[in-house]
Amino acid sequence: MMSAISATKSGNEVVLLEKNKMLGKKLLITGKGRCNITSSLQIDEFIKNIPGNGRFLYSSFGNFTNIDIINMLKENGVEVKEERGNRIFPVSDKSIDVRDAFARELQKNKVKIKMGVEVKSILQKDGKVIGVKLANGEIEKADKVILATGGKSYPATGSTGDGYAMSKTLGHTITKIKPSLVPLTALNNEDIEIKIVEKSKYKTSLNLCKNLQGLSLRNVKIEIIDENKNKKIYEDFGEMLFTHFGVSGPTILSASSHLLRYKNIEELLKSGKIILKIDLKPALSEEKLNARILRDFETNKNKEIKNSLNELLPQKLIMPIINLLNIDENKKVNSITKEERIELVKLLKNFQIAISGFRGIEEAIITAGGISIKEIDPKTMQSKLVQGLYFAGEIIDVDAYTGGFNLQIAYSTGFTAGMD
């Protein structure tokens, strides 16, 4: 949509070919249906949040900034607000309002739109684009084609990798396609000892996650550790979620983007050496947490341990914590030993899950990999191999963390591709 708007403003006669029966289908599901439009950070900070070839995007970000998208939306009736982590959302919290603003901008610029039209191949002659061939056999003539088909994540929205095949036919290199910003799976191998659960009835990390399924933790600190090297791969603060297969949520999705680029990650995941450490009480030192628990225990000294942690932990987490500590759930608080209390403090500050891998690309928010940036001119988004062929968005080998950065990549590369 942005490419079409930009190309029209540059004086081109534009036809937007959309495979779906509606515009912006993937846009509608972004930000859990609220649409995290962009970030309020400076452009240099954007680059730091794009581990997948961020420097390639300097020109595009200069051509169309986060301020530009906010202004375009405001001109089309969408007011925005800023939330935690510099995230920009529509005031209405409805992604459809953002999509409709794009539709109005397309209409204002008199862009011709054809819905339910699938492109099968890009036609070229003597190294120049001459048009596209549709699934029904028809030919659409053009001296410029912008390929903005997305990656392979969320295929139900139309991102089925069509653009990769078309580009490959024209000689372009497709770097390895991987899921990014994707939930992580927990280890399910009883032969591998996991320090924190070895004496518990929870024999594996996976069983632990299943028992906590649906529990969302806010304001926790996470670390991803390579136990082989005792090296911290990633750390973050915010929200996470337990699932039947492992863990998800904003902090976990961003962590996945780091993990997929980590050396020998597949081998490490198989060996159970990638550990997610969760600090459930990051605002308290071990000393202060111990003092807090002592106060709670004094108040609840005649209760069973299972009924004494309600002020400290979410209900769903109480029994797993007690089981991990191998304490009888009916034991009275006044019988809890100092050693058991210290172990509780350590567990709350260092709750561990062994990670085994990534969920499939169909569950990923973003596709890592795509058209090699070596074959694209960063100033125009034009192919270096085929004159008149341009790329925009997720089809390119660029990807970012959560926080509105990936959508800004789409706007900026789309705008740049349409400028010629």
Side-chain angles (χ1 to χ4, degrees):
M1 291 187 288
M2 182 59 82
S3 292
I5 292 163
S6 175
T8 305
K9 287 182 174 179
S10 297
N12 297 290
E13 185 183 340
V14 179
V15 180
L16 174 56
L17 303 176
E18 172 57 66
K19 183 169 69 170
N20 292 317
K21 300 289 185 185
M22 63 187 293
L23 288 172
K25 198 171 180 182
K26 193 169 184 180
L27 185 63
L28 294 177
I29 64 170
T30 60
K32 297 179 181 177
R34 294 174 60 220
C35 190
N36 182 183
I37 297 162
T38 187
S39 169
S40 63
L41 290 173
Q42 297 295 313
I43 291 303
D44 280 351
E45 293 297 315
F46 268 72
I47 302 298
K48 291 176 185 176
N49 282 278
I50 304 172
N53 298 317
R55 291 184 179 279
F56 173 77
L57 298 163
Y58 265 114
S59 293
S60 289
F61 283 154
N63 292 332
F64 194 86
T65 69
N66 46 359
I67 303 302
D68 291 326
I69 183 61
I70 289 169
N71 287 339
M72 191 195 95
L73 293 175
K74 284 183 177 179
E75 288 167 10
N76 286 281
V78 177
E79 294 296 322
V80 304
K81 61 182 177 180
E82 183 171 345
E83 295 188 3
R84 183 185 61 81
N86 306 101
R87 289 167 161 84
I88 303 294
F89 288 91
V91 169
S92 66
D93 285 329
K94 294 178 181 176
S95 57
I96 194 167
D97 291 344
V98 177
R99 195 282 310 271
D100 288 350
F102 269 95
R104 284 192 286 276
E105 189 69 19
L106 287 164
Q107 190 175 26
K108 278 195 291 188
N109 286 281
K110 298 182 171 57
V111 175
K112 187 178 180 183
I113 302 169
K114 294 186 177 182
M115 302 282 198
V117 174
E118 185 178 353
V119 175
K120 278 296 182 185
S121 60
I122 297 168
L123 305 176
Q124 65 155 327
K125 186 177 181 181
D126 300 325
K128 295 180 181 179
V129 161
I130 59 170
V132 297
K133 186 175 183 179
L134 308 182
N136 62 9
E138 290 180 13
I139 304 292
E140 285 271 358
K141 291 182 179 180
D143 55 11
K144 174 178 176 179
V145 171
I146 302 174
L147 204 50
T149 54
K152 288 195 78 171
S153 54
Y154 290 122
T157 64
S159 297
T160 52
D162 304 3
Y164 301 140
M166 288 183 236
S167 304
K168 200 169 183 179
T169 302
L170 296 172
H172 273 281
T173 304
I174 315 300
T175 62
K176 189 174 181 181
I177 303 301
K178 297 179 182 178
S180 184
L181 300 183
V182 67
L184 300 174
T185 56
L187 192 70
N188 185 23
N189 187 342
E190 295 188 13
D191 296 328
I192 297 176
E193 285 189 4
I194 302 162
K195 289 180 292 186
I196 207 154
V197 297
E198 60 190 4
K199 57 184 180 179
S200 156
K201 73 176 187 179
Y202 293 99
K203 298 297 183 187
T204 68
S205 295
L206 184 60
N207 282 345
L208 178 60
C209 291
K210 283 179 178 176
N211 278 274
L212 295 173
Q213 180 180 349
L215 175 64
S216 178
L217 299 177
R218 296 176 184 271
N219 302 320
V220 295
K221 179 185 176 183
I222 70 154
E223 293 180 358
I224 304 286
I225 304 294
D226 173 357
E227 274 203 329
N228 260 359
K229 297 181 179 178
N230 195 25
K231 179 181 177 181
K232 188 191 299 179
I233 301 172
Y234 181 74
E235 68 177 335
D236 202 354
F237 178 89
E239 187 177 347
M240 63 164 288
L241 173 73
F242 289 99
T243 69
H244 67 283
F245 56 76
V247 286
S248 188
T251 58
I252 301 300
L253 297 179
S254 288
S256 73
S257 190
H258 271 267
L259 270 182
L260 71 86
R261 292 174 169 85
Y262 193 66
K263 191 176 181 181
N264 300 325
I265 186 60
E266 297 300 332
E267 295 170 27
L268 289 166
L269 288 167
K270 287 175 186 174
S271 66
K273 295 298 183 182
I274 298 296
I275 304 296
L276 166 66
K277 290 186 179 181
I278 308 164
D279 184 346
L280 296 164
K281 298 292 175 182
L284 300 175
S285 64
E286 286 195 12
E287 187 180 0
K288 288 183 177 178
L289 180 56
N290 184 41
R292 158 75 192 275
I293 292 171
L294 270 173
R295 290 196 299 272
D296 286 358
F297 277 8
E298 180 60 31
T299 304
N300 300 300
K301 60 186 176 184
N302 294 317
K303 291 184 178 179
E304 290 101 356
I305 184 70
K306 66 182 178 184
N307 297 320
S308 69
L309 301 173
N310 293 7
E311 296 295 317
L312 190 67
L313 295 168
Q315 188 64 42
K316 206 166 189 174
L317 195 54
I318 292 174
M319 281 310 300
I321 290 288
I322 292 171
N323 286 318
L324 285 169
L325 293 169
N326 208 26
I327 296 174
D328 181 350
E329 64 190 74
N330 295 310
K331 189 173 184 177
K332 295 283 187 182
V333 169
N334 57 20
S335 298
I336 297 294
T337 66
K338 179 182 178 182
E339 289 74 21
E340 287 172 330
R341 191 183 73 247
I342 296 301
E343 282 300 307
L344 172 59
V345 170
K346 288 180 179 177
L347 179 54
L348 296 183
K349 296 292 288 181
N350 188 22
F351 190 90
Q352 295 187 15
I353 302 290
I355 300 301
S356 64
F358 307 90
R359 291 291 277 181
I361 200 161
E362 66 281 354
E363 291 183 44
I365 293 176
I366 292 295
T367 306
I371 311 297
S372 172
I373 59 168
K374 294 176 183 177
E375 299 166 358
I376 304 171
D377 182 345
K379 293 182 179 178
T380 62
M381 292 295 124
Q382 183 171 204
S383 164
K384 292 179 179 179
L385 309 182
V386 182
Q387 189 178 332
L389 175 62
Y390 296 74
F391 301 101
E394 199 180 340
I395 191 173
I396 304 168
D397 182 14
V398 289
D399 63 285
Y401 303 140
T402 57
F405 306 110
N406 288 291
L407 278 180
Q408 187 65 49
I409 290 172
Y411 316 137
S412 297
T413 56
F415 185 87
T416 300
M419 283 173 65
D420 262 17

